[in-house]
Amino acid sequence: MKYFYVSFIIAVAGLVAAYFLGGFAAVYLTAILAVLEVSLSFDNAVVNAKILKTMDEVWQKRFLTWGIIIAVFGMRLVFPVIIVAVAAGLSLQDTIHIALFDPEKYHQILLSAEKLIYAFGGAFLWMVFSDFLFEEKEVRWIKPFERTAEKFGRVNNISLIVAMIIGIIVTYDAKSYEVAIAYFLGLLSYSILKGVNEAFSAEGVKSGLMGLLYLEVLDASFSFDGVIGAFAITPNIWLIMIGLGVGAMFVRSLTIWMVEKGVLDEYKYLEHGAHYAIGVLAVIMLLKIFFHVGELITGTLGLGLLIAAFVHSKIEKTTK
């Protein structure tokens, strides 16, 4: 429990703040938003833990301190404001004014840019999943499927090739050059961050700065769904920031717990479940370009895969 003390303190402070903003109804909505964020980002915690294990201890601490500030205020508040400003052609000052005093208009502008957001996030997350799927593994979960994928992985740049094919299909059906630009910017961002990170890695230890940037872009891709879906619960920008921020704190606590307790080593299929959940999220984000898919479906599928991987790991561990 010691890993979650700070998160619980912040949760209590957030719920108290929500009460002063709107009474018990606001407290209830804030709690729902926090649960939504954790359910959508649990797999994010697993992947973060995997990457943090390969980073220098100094940069681990920086991610867990600076990273939470960027995650809560940057990705859950500032980043959506920037997206709305660009989408509507407004100044940041005007956009902040709309967010605070006309949240319904803010929501509508954000919705007008959601296809671009989903295209970027879907492309980035697909590459995260695809690289894991095609790489050669010491541990396999769904063995026949993963062995077949590893054979295709011998083809140079297979992840990028598959992503390009998916991008052509998606952008052709969407009939939007903006969606195409957003999708391929997602691929480009992933490729640049991965390439630079590998170039500056040494003896299996990931580059600190580039590893931090990679984790923050990954976190942003996960947060898109939560930020947009949050408006279905409440238009109040303050409650959204508090609720998603509290959820992000618990995701960080889960990450620390997994790293320090060696959870990924103990439950060997958990990493697989997280990456399959990321793959499902990437597909759903791309599908959302064409039609609505509820956050309940997204969260349930992702959490279901993680639970299945955890249970399977536990069974194998106890039978040995």
Side-chain angles (χ1 to χ4, degrees):
M1 284 295 294
K2 67 175 184 177
Y3 298 99
F4 298 91
Y5 287 156
V6 174
S7 294
F8 279 116
I9 291 170
I10 290 176
V12 170
L15 293 174
V16 170
Y19 175 79
F20 283 106
L21 286 170
F24 286 110
V27 172
Y28 177 68
L29 293 174
T30 302
I32 290 176
L33 287 166
V35 172
L36 171 70
E37 176 66 18
V38 174
S39 66
L40 289 174
S41 298
F42 197 97
D43 42 0
N44 189 10
V46 177
V47 176
N48 284 350
K50 176 194 172 186
I51 297 168
L52 281 171
K53 281 173 57 180
T54 65
M55 291 173 64
D56 182 85
E57 187 177 346
V58 173
W59 282 98
Q60 286 183 9
K61 291 178 179 177
R62 287 173 179 172
F63 171 73
L64 296 168
T65 50
W66 301 350
I68 191 61
I69 297 172
I70 297 171
V72 174
F73 297 102
M75 298 308 170
R76 273 78 181 174
L77 180 64
V78 177
F79 196 54
V81 168
I82 293 172
I83 290 173
V84 168
V86 172
L90 299 170
S91 68
L92 283 176
Q93 183 178 353
D94 289 339
T95 306
I96 292 170
H97 185 270
I98 291 171
L100 295 177
F101 301 106
D102 193 355
E104 187 56 41
K105 182 178 179 180
Y106 178 84
H107 180 208
Q108 290 305 315
I109 298 172
L110 186 62
L111 285 178
S112 71
E114 69 174 350
K115 290 185 178 181
L116 309 185
I117 295 169
Y118 288 141
F120 180 93
F124 191 93
L125 291 178
W126 176 261
M127 287 300 293
V128 174
F129 164 69
S130 188
D131 270 357
F132 172 81
L133 179 64
F134 291 119
E135 73 179 4
E136 192 169 341
K137 305 171 189 64
E138 292 182 7
V139 176
R140 298 182 183 89
W141 185 27
I142 308 173
K143 294 178 175 61
F145 176 63
E146 291 178 4
R147 284 197 184 99
T148 303
E150 286 175 22
K151 290 178 182 177
F152 283 102
R154 295 167 190 164
V155 178
N156 287 337
N157 298 314
I158 184 64
S159 294
L160 190 57
I161 292 169
V162 172
M164 294 284 282
I165 293 170
I166 292 172
I168 290 169
I169 295 170
V170 168
T171 55
Y172 177 79
D173 286 344
K175 294 179 173 56
S176 167
Y177 76 89
E178 291 100 338
V179 168
I181 291 172
Y183 182 91
F184 289 105
L185 275 177
L187 296 187
L188 181 63
S189 299
Y190 178 85
S191 299
I192 290 173
L193 287 172
K194 181 189 175 187
V196 176
N197 190 27
E198 289 178 350
F200 284 91
S201 297
E203 297 179 2
V205 177
K206 295 291 185 185
S207 163
L209 179 59
M210 294 313 301
L212 179 66
L213 289 175
Y214 174 81
L215 287 169
E216 292 305 332
V217 176
L218 182 65
D219 183 69
S221 299
F222 276 97
S223 71
F224 290 151
D225 228 26
V227 170
I228 294 174
F231 279 96
I233 298 171
T234 175
N236 189 310
I237 191 69
W238 295 112
L239 294 185
I240 289 173
M241 188 187 75
I242 293 169
L244 297 185
V246 168
M249 277 300 303
F250 277 98
V251 171
R252 282 300 190 281
S253 296
L254 282 166
T255 301
I256 298 169
W257 172 67
M258 289 179 187
V259 172
E260 295 193 1
K261 289 294 184 180
V263 173
L264 297 185
D265 296 327
E266 189 174 354
Y267 299 96
K268 62 181 183 178
Y269 299 134
L270 203 55
E271 181 186 343
H272 294 68
H275 279 92
Y276 283 119
I278 288 171
V280 168
L281 178 57
V283 171
I284 289 175
M285 290 183 81
L286 295 176
L287 289 176
K288 281 186 172 184
I289 295 172
F290 306 101
F291 53 84
H292 176 71
V293 180
E295 281 69 37
L296 182 62
I297 295 173
T298 308
T300 302
L301 287 173
L303 197 57
L305 283 163
L306 282 164
I307 291 171
F310 175 82
V311 171
H312 193 182
S313 301
K314 187 78 172 177
I315 290 171
E316 285 209 1
K317 182 184 173 185
T318 54
T319 54
K320 283 185 177 179

